[in-house]
């Protein structure tokens, strides 16, 4: 937000002072006077542009292989379904063992 405000200020300054700079086609002395009078603003603008340029590397999001991640996710889902099926089979086998144990215990008593 602060960067956007600074850029807006720079844009406003360029729009207002650019016309003044272009009208200085006259003498070298007038141009020097303009640069000297605007030195602080020019330094501030240069600093803001440097800061803005330094932030460019953070503006690019890293490339994400969504297709590859989608395939991996599908594989994980498939493996999860297989494990859930195996867990249900194991539960059924355990229930059968318990039932058989109960029948054996009833016949022995």
């Amino acid at each position: 937000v602060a960067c956007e405000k600074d850029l807006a200020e720079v844009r406003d300054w360029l729009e207002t002072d650019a016309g003044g700079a272009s009208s200085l086609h006259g003498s070298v002395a007038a141009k020097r006077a303009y640069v000297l009078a605007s030195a602080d603003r020019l330094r501030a603008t240069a600093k803001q542009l440097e800061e803005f340029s330094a932030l460019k590397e953070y503006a690019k999001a890293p490339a994400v292989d969504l297709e590859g991640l989608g395939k991996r996710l599908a594989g994980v889902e498939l493996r999860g379904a297989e494990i859930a099926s195996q867990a249900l089979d194991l539960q059924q086998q355990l229930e059968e063992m318990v039932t058989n144990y109960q029948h054996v215990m009833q016949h022995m008593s």
Side-chain angles (χ1 to χ4, degrees):
V1 175
C3 182
E4 290 174 2
K5 180 183 172 204
D6 291 342
L7 285 175
E9 289 176 7
V10 169
R11 196 173 292 127
D12 291 343
W13 176 79
L14 288 173
E15 289 172 358
T16 58
D17 286 349
S22 64
S23 66
L24 291 175
H25 292 301
S27 68
V28 174
K31 291 177 184 178
R32 282 189 190 142
Y34 176 79
V35 170
L36 290 174
S38 303
D40 291 338
R41 285 190 289 171
L42 292 172
R43 282 189 196 100
T45 300
K47 182 179 178 186
Q48 289 174 345
L49 291 173
E50 286 175 4
E51 291 172 357
F52 181 73
S53 181
L55 295 174
K56 282 184 181 178
E57 67 180 277
Y58 301 108
K60 294 180 182 177
V64 177
D65 179 18
L66 294 179
E67 186 175 333
L69 291 175
K71 288 178 182 177
R72 287 179 60 190
L73 180 59
V76 168
E77 288 175 342
L78 181 63
R79 183 67 181 133
E82 291 172 356
I83 291 172
S85 175
Q86 291 171 354
L88 288 173
D89 290 343
L90 188 60
Q91 180 183 1
Q92 186 177 10
Q93 290 174 6
L94 184 60
E95 288 175 359
E96 288 175 8
M97 286 176 57
V98 168
T99 303
N100 289 340
Y101 177 78
Q102 287 175 344
H103 286 296
V104 168
M105 294 307 286
Q106 286 177 353
H107 285 338
M108 291 180 73
S109 49

